[in-house]
Amino acid sequence: MSTAVAVLGGGSFGTAMAHLASFNCDRVTLWARDPDGVLQMQESRENERYLPGFEINSSVRFTNRLDEALDGAQIVLLAVPSQSFRVLAQMVAQRIGADVVMLSGTKGVESGNFRLMSQILDEELPENTNAVVSGPNLAVEIMERKFTGTVIAARCEDTAVHLREIFMSPTFIPYYNPDLLGVQIAGALKNIYALMAGYMHSRNVGFNANATLLTRALAEMMRFGVALGASPTTFLGIAGVGDLVATCTSPLSRNYQLGHMVGNGLSPSDAMSSMKQVAEGVNTLTLVYEKKAELGVRMPIVDGMWEMWHESKSLRRLLAEWKESDLAADIAYHPDAGRD
């Protein structure tokens, strides 16, 4: 396919997506900030820091020069931490035309204003079409060619079809959803519950407790998403329950790993310092904790996780409080469900 793709972000997901696109496009460039990391990938065809042991397709180019990465690009995928997203989007806006399609691969929320990544793209590149890719997309499994479903959320189905052609492989299957808001809320919130899942697993609470956590987390995600204007059915799809299950049950998940380390006795700060990549759940936890109060949405798991993370509340005390709380609906779809 005669398409040029720039992937901005040399972490595990950005690397995996550049690798996938290179089989369908005639030019793919992976940009990373660190010149040493770029040199290492050029020499070994491997991202030794974030995806050790996996060979990157020989046609992928590497650079730490943003102008070089964006030169002639028709698709630009941003796969950087949420707190770096706006600055990078501003830099991109100075270098590309309105015909370039912007794609976000970042699952998070911007601090200070609760902006999702597509909203940042709307603000910084208002003339460019933008879309989101999200789902249970553990980069290691993508590189292992294990079957993976994902979601491409776009306002226009033609955009999603085009992006599907760029990234689809025999084992990586994109599906379409027009609900950009819901897809991104699901992708951000599941990281909070992965922190809790990892913490609970470290305490050996059992499969019944984990299943309860997942189903109650899904109800919270739906209530919160609907309050912000998302479709409740989005949370029942791959970007919702699919990503929630993968992130809350896999030790490959950064947020699950982080929660597990804290459950085993590390302080949150020490656990975060030991991580190679950003675990978005910590930042998202604080932002959602504040936002749900503003919206009046009942989210007891978010409350409990915030208190455990910031006030050192014990899991035993948290579970006791859940047991003594008022009876809550098992499934909630309508906008007023679960409000205080």
Side-chain angles (χ1 to χ4, degrees), residues 33 41 53 102 106 141 171 239 264 302 325 328-329:
R33 298 180 189 275
M41 288 189 283
M102 302 297 300
T106 299
E141 293 195 356
T171 56
N264 278 329
V302 168
S325 64

Side-chain angles (χ1 to χ4, degrees), residues 36-93:
D36 292 335
V38 168
L39 180 61
Q40 176 270 302
M41 288 189 283
Q42 288 173 336
E43 293 177 345
S44 68
R45 308 303 306 179
E46 179 181 330
N47 189 331
E48 294 177 0
R49 179 173 175 81
Y50 298 121
L51 279 176
F54 295 100
E55 182 179 356
I56 303 168
N57 191 23
S58 60
S59 64
V60 177
R61 306 189 309 172
F62 306 97
T63 184
N64 69 319
R65 296 173 52 198
L66 189 58
D67 287 334
E68 182 179 339
L70 296 174
D71 184 28
Q74 297 154 289
I75 308 289
V76 175
L77 167 60
L78 277 69
V80 297
S82 59
Q83 301 314 307
S84 305
F85 196 93
R86 185 180 293 274
V87 171
L88 184 56
Q90 291 171 341
M91 295 168 65
V92 171

Side-chain angles (χ1 to χ4, degrees), residues 114 192 224 283-294 297 299 302-307 310-311:
F114 209 87
I192 299 174
F224 186 81
N283 177 62
T284 305
L285 172 61
T286 297
L287 298 177
V288 171
Y289 180 77
E290 296 169 351
K291 191 69 173 180
K292 62 93 183 170
E294 175 188 326
V297 177
M299 301 181 77
V302 168
D303 288 339
M305 192 64 225
W306 193 91
E307 291 166 355
H310 296 284
E311 300 176 357

Side-chain angles (χ1 to χ4, degrees), residues 81-140:
S82 59
Q83 301 314 307
S84 305
F85 196 93
R86 185 180 293 274
V87 171
L88 184 56
Q90 291 171 341
M91 295 168 65
V92 171
Q94 298 170 4
R95 293 167 167 83
I96 65 169
D99 57 335
V100 176
V101 176
M102 302 297 300
L103 178 63
S104 168
T106 299
K107 298 175 181 178
V109 183
E110 186 179 35
S111 297
N113 54 20
F114 209 87
R115 289 288 192 275
L116 300 169
M117 302 305 106
S118 71
Q119 294 170 328
I120 294 175
L121 293 176
D122 285 339
E123 292 170 359
E124 302 298 340
L125 295 102
E127 297 182 359
N128 294 76
T129 298
N130 73 68
V132 171
V133 57
S134 187
N137 298 156
L138 300 167
V140 168

Side-chain angles (χ1 to χ4, degrees), residues 79-249:
V80 297
S82 59
Q83 301 314 307
S84 305
F85 196 93
R86 185 180 293 274
V87 171
L88 184 56
Q90 291 171 341
M91 295 168 65
V92 171
Q94 298 170 4
R95 293 167 167 83
I96 65 169
D99 57 335
V100 176
V101 176
M102 302 297 300
L103 178 63
S104 168
T106 299
K107 298 175 181 178
V109 183
E110 186 179 35
S111 297
N113 54 20
F114 209 87
R115 289 288 192 275
L116 300 169
M117 302 305 106
S118 71
Q119 294 170 328
I120 294 175
L121 293 176
D122 285 339
E123 292 170 359
E124 302 298 340
L125 295 102
E127 297 182 359
N128 294 76
T129 298
N130 73 68
V132 171
V133 57
S134 187
N137 298 156
L138 300 167
V140 168
E141 293 195 356
I142 293 173
M143 296 298 287
E144 288 175 338
R145 299 182 182 179
K146 292 182 177 178
F147 184 87
T148 300
T150 194
V151 172
I152 294 176
R155 297 180 180 93
C156 173
E157 187 172 357
D158 289 344
T159 300
V161 169
H162 181 46
L163 292 170
R164 173 187 169 93
E165 293 172 349
I166 299 294
F167 295 102
M168 187 171 180
S169 81
T171 56
F172 187 81
I173 314 300
Y175 296 83
Y176 170 60
N177 191 322
D179 182 15
L180 274 81
L181 183 65
V183 166
Q184 291 174 98
I185 292 170
L189 264 65
K190 56 88 185 178
N191 287 327
I192 299 174
Y193 303 116
L195 291 171
M196 178 64 86
Y199 186 96
M200 290 175 63
H201 185 264
S202 73
R203 299 304 179 92
N204 195 30
V205 298
F207 294 106
N208 291 339
N210 191 56
T212 302
L213 170 68
L214 291 180
T215 50
R216 298 310 304 156
L218 181 61
E220 285 194 12
M221 289 167 62
M222 293 173 71
R223 288 198 297 269
F224 186 81
V226 169
L228 286 173
S231 168
T233 57
T234 292
F235 298 89
L236 301 177
I238 291 173
V241 68
D243 202 3
L244 180 68
V245 170
T247 310
C248 291
T249 60

